[in-house]
Amino acid sequence: SKVQHHLTKLTKNRLLQQQTHPYKGYRLTTAGYDTLALNSHVKTNTLEAIGKPLGVGKEADVHEALTPTKQQVAIKFHRLGRPSFRQTKRKRDYAQSKYAPNWHQQSTVAAKKEYKALKLLEPHNTAAPKPIRQNRHTLIMTLINGAPLNLYPEIPHPQKVLREILNNIKEAYQKAGIIHSDLSPYNILIQPNLHILIIDWPQYVSTNHPNAQQLLKRDVKNVLDFFKQKERLEMTLKQALEYVKGDWTLFTTSDVQTNIQDVVPTN
């Protein structure tokens, strides 16, 4: 009777959902999973309050948050399995399984992977959020402030921004040994100080991955295509990749540095 009392209360508060087929039972809801993660963060004195949303996407929600020391941070809730993104299992390598997906578990795997990526990047001061704590499907990190490149009608100092993006791709590749592998104008932010911030790292791969070079090429191409179309900045994919990989067999250091620093508009 005591168990039933608590199950009824949890169901009423939508933290559990009752099912009758193929058997009578209960399953954890998204709100219930959120509550377990938040409870862990509070008990470890990591989190005190949650504020307004910073971004809502197909795979995650990000909110402002506050630590007990009044530090402003961001908390990210990974949301794999939303109706709008049921192809996650097919599109994301961290969601591969021969069994029917448990979306809570898959979201947890994504959060753990992103936390690991940010930990790898942190010692090299790469333009990415700094990780603070991860529990279940949530990740607490330094505050994310800025807007994605695609939302800017006109990018301030586009040559400088492009150079900074390529420098950070290079830092991640050469020093941290990882590739974002899902880089696009949607997850490169321009902060109020006009420096960039690269977010959304759960799909990262190591430079030893069998498809590493293909994924790096795709990341760099996405960036160059965007700047060519929006700001009419011209730079070849070959030049950019040579710079990122630090392979000077085709270009001298001065040649590539000139191409990076003095990207010019097309006619």
Side-chain angles (χ1 to χ4, degrees), residues 142-159:
T142 50
L143 189 63
I144 296 173
N145 205 354
L149 289 178
N150 65 296
L151 294 184
Y152 278 83
E154 184 176 343
I155 298 175
H157 310 294
Q159 293 163 315

Side-chain angles (χ1 to χ4, degrees), residues 16-215:
L16 292 179
Q17 185 177 65
Q18 186 175 9
Q19 65 179 40
T20 55
H21 182 78
Y23 51 82
K24 183 178 180 180
Y26 297 84
R27 63 183 182 90
L28 198 61
T29 64
T30 299
Y33 206 48
D34 288 351
T35 302
L36 289 172
L38 292 172
N39 182 55
S40 174
H41 291 311
V42 170
K43 284 185 174 180
T44 55
N45 291 318
T46 309
L47 196 67
E48 184 174 273
I50 293 183
K52 65 182 180 181
L54 293 172
V56 177
K58 293 178 180 178
E59 300 175 70
D61 297 336
V62 183
H63 288 257
E64 285 184 347
L66 202 64
T67 69
T69 59
K70 310 306 177 187
Q71 176 190 358
Q72 284 187 298
V73 294
I75 180 168
K76 182 174 183 177
F77 296 84
H78 284 264
R79 304 287 195 204
L80 274 66
R82 279 180 167 157
S84 61
F85 209 68
R86 290 292 185 182
Q87 296 301 313
T88 302
K89 185 181 176 186
R90 179 174 61 84
K91 295 181 178 180
R92 300 293 184 256
D93 64 352
Y94 53 76
Q96 297 299 318
S97 173
K98 64 182 180 180
Y99 303 107
N102 178 313
W103 296 115
H104 295 324
Q105 293 176 0
Q106 302 287 16
S107 296
T108 296
V109 171
K112 286 181 177 179
K113 191 169 182 189
E114 183 164 24
Y115 180 77
K116 183 178 179 181
L118 297 182
K119 291 294 286 185
L120 290 170
L121 294 168
E122 186 177 15
H124 309 293
N125 294 316
T126 310
K130 301 294 185 290
I132 297 174
R133 187 173 187 268
Q134 178 264 327
N135 182 268
R136 294 177 171 85
H137 63 314
T138 64
L139 172 60
I140 297 179
M141 52 195 160
T142 50
L143 189 63
I144 296 173
N145 205 354
L149 289 178
N150 65 296
L151 294 184
Y152 278 83
E154 184 176 343
I155 298 175
H157 310 294
Q159 293 163 315
K160 180 181 177 182
V161 172
L162 175 56
R163 183 169 67 246
E164 189 174 354
I165 293 170
L166 291 176
N167 281 336
N168 279 278
I169 295 174
K170 181 177 182 176
E171 292 283 314
Y173 181 85
Q174 292 195 12
K175 295 184 178 180
I178 65 174
I179 299 164
H180 188 287
S181 87
D182 190 34
L183 200 59
S184 74
Y186 297 94
N187 47 37
I188 302 174
L189 310 185
I190 297 182
Q191 303 178 89
N193 62 7
L194 299 185
H195 287 292
I196 67 156
L197 188 72
I198 301 176
I199 60 172
D200 297 339
W201 289 84
Q203 290 191 73
Y204 90 92
V205 298
S206 77
T207 52
N208 296 321
H209 190 279
N211 299 324
Q213 297 308 309
Q214 178 185 346
L215 295 170

Side-chain angles (χ1 to χ4, degrees), residues 202-236:
Q203 290 191 73
Y204 90 92
V205 298
S206 77
T207 52
N208 296 321
H209 190 279
N211 299 324
Q213 297 308 309
Q214 178 185 346
L215 295 170
L216 176 65
K217 182 178 179 180
R218 186 179 67 183
D219 279 358
V220 174
K221 186 177 186 301
N222 286 344
V223 172
L224 295 183
D225 287 350
F226 173 79
F227 277 89
K228 183 176 181 179
Q229 180 180 357
K230 189 175 183 68
E231 299 294 337
R232 300 178 65 82
L233 293 182
E234 185 69 58
M235 184 180 188
T236 68

